[in-house]
């Protein structure tokens, strides 16, 4: 399967759920296309001042792979600054958050695995 960028669904989320501020998700695969192995495959743009608040992953796992910018990430009780090429993986009841406190756009790959 091939899907061009212009054919991918864009989803704008503003101050909803665990999103504080605004994010833009570009969905590149859907659960049925991954044989039910994922619930989300997207790139996420996180503008300055926006946050995906702390949340748990008990029955699934999520990875963030930073593509652009500088993000502040919590991994349980530890806080780290991620740069392009860095990854955080959360599952097994652990929790994480990501925020953009820099002046540049943060863009990352987000995949939720079942």
């Amino acid at each position: 399967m091939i899907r061009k960028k212009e054919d991918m669904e864009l989803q704008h989320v503003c101050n909803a759920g665990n999103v504080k501020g605004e994010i833009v998700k570009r969905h590149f695969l859907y659960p049925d296309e991954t044989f039910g192995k994922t619930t989300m495959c997207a790139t996420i743009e996180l503008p300055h001042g926006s946050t995906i608040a702390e949340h748990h992953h008990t029955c699934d796992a999520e990875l963030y792979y930073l593509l652009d910018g500088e993000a502040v990430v919590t991994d349980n009780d530890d806080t780290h600054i991620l740069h392009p090429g860095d990854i955080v993986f959360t599952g097994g009841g652990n929790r994480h958050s990501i925020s953009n406190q820099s002046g540049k756009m943060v863009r990352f790959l987000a995949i939720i695995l079942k």
Side-chain angles (χ1 to χ4, degrees):
M1 172 181 53
I2 295 172
R3 178 169 289 133
K4 299 276 192 163
K5 181 179 178 181
E6 58 268 15
D7 297 328
M8 296 176 191
E9 175 194 358
L10 286 179
Q11 178 186 10
H12 295 264
V13 180
C14 187
N15 294 317
N18 61 351
V19 174
K20 309 298 183 219
E22 182 176 1
I23 66 170
V24 177
K25 294 181 185 180
R26 183 180 300 274
H27 296 276
F28 56 86
L29 286 173
Y30 295 96
D32 61 324
E33 296 170 330
T34 63
F35 308 102
K37 304 290 185 194
T38 66
T39 57
M40 185 184 74
C41 294
T43 57
I44 297 178
E45 292 182 356
L46 189 67
H48 169 75
S50 294
T51 298
I52 299 175
E54 184 176 272
H55 57 284
H56 289 81
H57 287 275
T58 52
C59 297
D60 61 12
E62 184 170 26
L63 70 85
Y64 292 160
Y65 178 81
L66 201 68
L67 299 168
D68 297 304
E70 182 180 281
V72 177
V73 173
T74 61
D75 181 32
N76 293 312
D77 295 324
D78 298 323
T79 301
H80 302 273
I81 306 238
L82 295 188
H83 298 94
D86 293 342
I87 189 168
V88 61
F89 183 79
T90 306
N94 292 303
R95 61 195 192 284
H96 66 161
S97 68
I98 186 167
S99 66
N100 181 354
Q101 300 172 11
S102 73
K104 297 181 181 177
M105 179 68 72
V106 166
R107 192 168 63 92
F108 61 98
L109 177 71
I111 298 177
I112 300 177
L113 305 162
K114 283 188 173 184

